[in-house]
């Protein structure tokens, strides 16, 4: 089996600042917005990754089926899934122009919903241990003899990639390409494992900002931003649900339920506020009673 690694931006930490090793700027504001559902950076990352690998990919895969996965998720994907979606779009166009079957975006699941503890952790071993207990699974019949493109947004310590490799590679793919929008050089990553959360929080993320992006059609719900929204205080959520589009509220409600009973119960009050608003708008909603 062959493995390849490609990264758009190699990063390091110099005088406390995150910079690209080649001297080009790293737009941490765009990256931070992307992690909470802002679409344009994800589109850029996906298209640029396609351009980065396409010249080699078609030769090295030699006509074999290409599968794409993002970071594993329980119900609602992470932000990396949107990068994978745009990578798929760009590579699909190229594939048919080469007379090849287009790649397939494969659902990649895990047993439980993540939390922000992983991104915030300064403990490299904790991050590795979390990845070993995620209960990853996909349709294993799609793996043997195929080419897998594993897409993630950032590589900090490499523990997430290690966890995916431990699961995927023994299934017998012909080749695995590990693709990242950004990656810290190893020494900086091991010295700054919690940097992921610092980058995520470069700019404040608010419900009003989300509503503006929804109005501009530049927002995509993901697991991180859903958690942020459901953690909002009573006044913030009451104001949000009165003006948010019905489709977004319905997606939020279903995502909270699909993430499991423990997750649903944790955010029950705000999920009920969403359900109440959907009922007011004529949507058929059953409000469960939990004791």
């Amino acid at each position: 089996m062959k493995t390849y690694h490609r990264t758009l931006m190699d990063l390091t930490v110099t005088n406390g600042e995150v910079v690209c090793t080649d001297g080009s700027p790293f737009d941490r504001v765009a990256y931070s917005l992307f992690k909470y559902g802002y679409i344009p950076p994800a589109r850029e990352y996906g298209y640029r990754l396609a351009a980065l690998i396409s010249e080699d990919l078609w030769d090295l895969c030699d006509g074999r089926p290409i599968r794409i996965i993002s970071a594993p998720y329980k119900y609602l994907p992470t932000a990396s899934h949107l990068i994978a979606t745009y990578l798929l779009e760009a590579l699909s166009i190229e594939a048919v122009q080469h007379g090849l079957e287009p790649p397939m975006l494969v659902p990649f699941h895990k047993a439980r919903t993540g939390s922000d503890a992983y991104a915030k952790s300064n403990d490299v071993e904790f991050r590795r241990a979390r990845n070993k207990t995620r209960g990853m699974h996909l349709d294993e019949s799609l793996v043997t003899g195929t080419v897998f493109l594993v897409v993630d947004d950032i590589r900090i310590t490499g523990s997430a990639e290690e966890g995916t490799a431990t699961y995927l590679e023994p299934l017998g793919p012909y080749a695995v390409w590990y693709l990242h929008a950004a990656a810290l050089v190893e020494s900086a990553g091991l010295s700054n494992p919690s940097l992921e959360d610092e980058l995520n929080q470069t700019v404040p993320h608010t419900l009003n900002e989300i509503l503006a992006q929804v109005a501009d059609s530049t927002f995509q719900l993901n697991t991180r931003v859903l958690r942020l929204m459901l953690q909002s205080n009573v006044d913030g959520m009451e104001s949000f649900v009165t003006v948010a589009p019905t489709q977004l509220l319905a997606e939020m409600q279903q995502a909270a339920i699909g993430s499991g009973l423990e997750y649903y119960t944790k955010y029950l009050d705000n999920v009920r506020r969403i359900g109440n608003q959907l009922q007011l708008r004529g949507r058929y909603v059953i409000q469960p009673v939990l004791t």
Side-chain angles (χ1 to χ4, degrees):
M1 189 202 68
K2 305 174 183 179
T3 60
Y4 306 91
H5 292 78
R6 297 289 188 275
T7 303
L8 286 180
M9 297 169 284
D10 289 307
L11 309 177
T12 191
V13 179
T14 303
N15 297 324
E17 294 294 325
V18 180
V19 296
C20 292
T21 57
D22 65 359
S24 61
F26 174 58
D27 190 343
R28 56 185 293 165
V29 170
Y31 178 82
S32 178
L33 291 170
F34 145 76
K35 290 297 290 253
Y36 284 83
Y38 188 52
I39 293 174
R43 183 187 301 117
E44 177 187 345
Y45 299 152
Y47 288 172
R48 287 177 59 195
L49 279 171
L52 181 68
I53 69 171
S54 61
E55 185 173 343
D56 294 330
L57 178 66
W58 308 119
D59 290 336
L60 293 172
C61 73
D62 196 24
R64 292 175 175 83
I66 299 173
R67 321 295 192 194
I68 302 174
I69 58 173
S70 62
Y73 53 94
K74 179 168 183 177
Y75 179 86
L76 190 63
T78 69
S80 67
H81 195 76
L82 196 54
I83 301 177
T85 300
Y86 285 111
L87 175 71
L88 172 71
E89 180 180 298
L91 291 181
S92 294
I93 294 171
E94 290 195 25
V96 295
Q97 290 174 341
H98 284 79
L100 301 170
E101 287 295 322
M104 174 190 297
L105 184 59
V106 177
F108 186 27
H109 294 295
K110 61 182 179 180
R112 56 188 173 87
T113 304
S115 72
D116 57 5
Y118 181 87
K120 290 180 177 180
S121 177
N122 278 308
D123 187 340
V124 174
E125 291 306 317
F126 168 81
R127 294 165 73 96
R128 288 191 175 125
R130 284 293 293 266
N131 283 313
K132 289 179 180 178
T133 60
R134 290 189 296 177
M136 292 176 278
H137 56 281
L138 49 71
D139 184 347
E140 297 182 1
S141 69
L142 299 174
V143 180
T144 303
T146 64
V147 175
F148 261 76
L149 310 182
V150 180
V151 181
D152 210 346
D153 44 69
I154 195 165
R155 187 183 192 274
I156 301 292
T157 64
S159 57
E161 180 183 310
E162 180 183 315
T164 297
T166 299
Y167 169 74
L168 181 63
E169 292 183 10
L171 299 177
Y174 172 77
V176 181
W177 294 61
Y178 295 99
L179 309 177
H180 293 87
L184 272 182
V185 296
E186 184 175 1
S187 58
L190 293 175
S191 301
N192 302 272
S194 64
L195 185 61
E196 181 176 1
D197 186 62
E198 179 187 324
L199 292 174
N200 293 345
Q201 306 307 325
T202 297
V203 296
H205 304 284
T206 67
L207 295 179
N208 285 336
E209 173 191 77
I210 291 167
L211 287 171
Q213 293 173 3
V214 171
D216 290 340
S217 299
T218 57
F219 177 79
Q220 176 67 53
L221 191 66
N222 65 49
T223 186
R224 182 179 300 277
V225 73
L226 175 67
R227 185 169 63 244
L228 171 80
M229 297 157 83
L230 293 179
Q231 288 173 343
S232 299
N233 60 34
V234 174
D235 291 341
M237 182 56 72
E238 290 285 4
S239 299
F240 175 81
V241 299
T242 59
V243 296
T246 300
Q247 184 59 37
L248 175 60
L249 294 178
E251 290 175 3
M252 291 174 64
Q253 183 189 56
Q254 181 54 46
I257 295 169
S259 296
L261 185 60
E262 180 182 358
Y263 186 98
Y264 175 83
T265 305
K266 182 177 182 179
Y267 300 114
L268 180 60
D269 289 344
N270 274 341
V271 178
R272 280 179 169 164
R273 291 184 179 94
I274 293 170
N276 289 338
Q277 182 61 216
L278 288 170
Q279 285 185 319
L280 288 174
R281 300 184 190 186
R283 290 289 292 253
Y284 179 69
V285 177
I286 297 175
Q287 292 281 40
V289 177
L290 296 181
T291 58

